[in-house]
Structures are given as C-alpha cells and as structure tokens.
Amino acid sequence: MGADVRVLVVEDEVRLAEALQVGLQAEGFTADVAHDGEQGLHLATEHAYDAVVLDVMLPRLNGYRVCQRLRAAGNWVPVLMLSAKDGEYDQAEGLDVGADDYMVKPFSYVVLVARLRALIRRGAPARPAVLLAGDLHLDPAKHEVRRGAQPVELTPREFALLEYLMRRRDEVVGKQEILEHVWDAHYDGDPNVVEVYVGYLRRKIDTPFGRHSLQTIRGAGYRLTGDRA
C-alpha cells in the first residue's frame, strides 16, 4: 500500500494523534489528523479517504455521532474506532452506528496497522440502505426497525443481533458465530446469552405481529426468514 492510500486519524490526544500520523506515514500511508469530532466529520465528508481511525471520546462531537452521520449521508468509508472504554455495550454501540472494527486503548500499534490494512483491502462496498425480511425493515444508518408501518424499539444489543441475522437472511447462523460477531471474538461469558437475546427479539419482532420469522434450528443455530404469518 503506497502513499496514494489516504487515512484520516481523528484523535484529541495530540501526542497519540501525532504518533499515529508519523507511524502511518512510515508505513507508506498518507495520514491527515483532526483533533475534534466536528473537524473530523468535515474532513471525512470533504475528502476521499481509504479509512478513518476514529476515537470515541472527542470534543464537540463524539466518535459514535461522527460515524453515525457519515453512514446517514451514505459515506461507507471503513472506520476503525478507538476507545479507552472496553465494555461490551460500548463496542456494540460502535458497531451499531456503522463502525467496521473496534480497538480498546492501550492497543498494539502493529495490530492496529494490520487491522487497518485489512479494512482497506476490503474497501467500502455499497451497502443496502435498508435491510428487508418480508415486511420487517431495518435501517442501519437511522438505527430504526419497523414491522410494516409499526416501529419496533430495540436495545443496542438487540439491534446488533437483528442486523447480523438480517444480513445473513435465510441462512442458518451458529451460536458461536453470533457470539463472535455480535458480542466479541474473545467473549468468554455464558454462551446461552444468545438464546436469551433471541427470545427478547422474538417478543418484539414476531410475537406481537403473529409472525415466526426468527427460527431456532436445533443443534445448528438460528435463521431469520421473510416469514409473513
């Protein structure tokens, strides 16, 4: 990856931002820096970047909102979020608003560069504005779900689970795969948490509407279909 690969670093810790900029330039990237969320959003909107390294805790506009506004505007530049907060709900919120990856501070610079290269190789393919399964609609950018015309209120974790299943519509998705993508690759809590959240989802997207779209496939996992009744 040569100097034509352009990365934006949005980080308010000046020394860290400068270290990242110098390090990325040494790796052959062109790296720009912004120290607050509004400046970062402006640069990411005005220029074509191959990836954005985005801190969560920023002045003027936090990283979650920066990412959310980029996605709402149809900008799917790969985003790697950085945060000193390592709670699973913080990571879930980052992914909910459209981030592609999430690293907790302090982080390994070598790992950050490797993840950044992976995101850049993957690129920013156009993503469907709204995911559909029958009359179930999920809008990732607006963070909205509805069944027909009826809005459905979900928690960040429920939303992340539904979005993942809708992106894999009509496929059987195993419990471990769900844990790795919706929770964390290193999650070592009770795996039955998936079953619990599937139950929560059913009571919101299916039961009130007399639907059976979220199916349990014994011994294999779960499948979301376009079931209409």
Side-chain angles (χ1 to χ4, degrees), residues 1 20 23-24 27 29 51 53 79-82 100-122 184-186:
M1 293 184 184
L20 284 172
L24 290 170
E27 295 284 341
F29 297 100
V53 178
V79 171
L80 171 61
M81 295 197 90
L82 301 178
D100 298 275
D101 203 351
Y102 189 109
M103 290 187 71
V104 176
K105 297 177 181 178
F107 53 83
S108 159
Y109 177 73
V110 173
V111 173
L112 180 140
V113 171
R115 289 197 183 183
L116 206 51
R117 289 187 188 280
L119 288 180
I120 292 169
R121 281 196 300 270
R122 196 185 310 163
D184 182 82
H186 307 293

Side-chain angles (χ1 to χ4, degrees), residues 82-103:
L82 301 178
S83 177
K85 303 162 70 177
D86 62 355
E88 61 180 28
Y89 287 100
D90 299 313
Q91 295 188 41
E93 183 172 359
L95 298 175
D96 277 350
V97 297
D100 298 275
D101 203 351
Y102 189 109
M103 290 187 71

Side-chain angles (χ1 to χ4, degrees), residues 43-158:
L43 289 174
T45 301
E46 294 298 316
H47 303 283
Y49 289 100
D50 295 283
V52 176
V53 178
L54 179 63
D55 188 38
V56 169
M57 303 300 288
L58 293 167
R60 302 182 74 181
L61 195 65
N62 71 40
Y64 296 138
R65 302 291 79 80
V66 172
C67 189
Q68 192 173 43
R69 292 187 188 184
L70 285 173
R71 299 317 190 215
N75 186 331
W76 294 103
V77 59
V79 171
L80 171 61
M81 295 197 90
L82 301 178
S83 177
K85 303 162 70 177
D86 62 355
E88 61 180 28
Y89 287 100
D90 299 313
Q91 295 188 41
E93 183 172 359
L95 298 175
D96 277 350
V97 297
D100 298 275
D101 203 351
Y102 189 109
M103 290 187 71
V104 176
K105 297 177 181 178
F107 53 83
S108 159
Y109 177 73
V110 173
V111 173
L112 180 140
V113 171
R115 289 197 183 183
L116 206 51
R117 289 187 188 280
L119 288 180
I120 292 169
R121 281 196 300 270
R122 196 185 310 163
R127 307 185 191 187
V130 178
L131 302 174
L132 301 173
D135 64 348
L136 184 64
H137 298 67
L138 183 146
D139 187 326
K142 295 182 179 178
H143 209 269
E144 294 175 351
V145 175
R146 59 185 173 86
R147 172 71 83 177
Q150 181 68 37
V152 178
E153 296 295 328
L154 300 180
T155 67
R157 181 74 69 187
E158 291 165 353

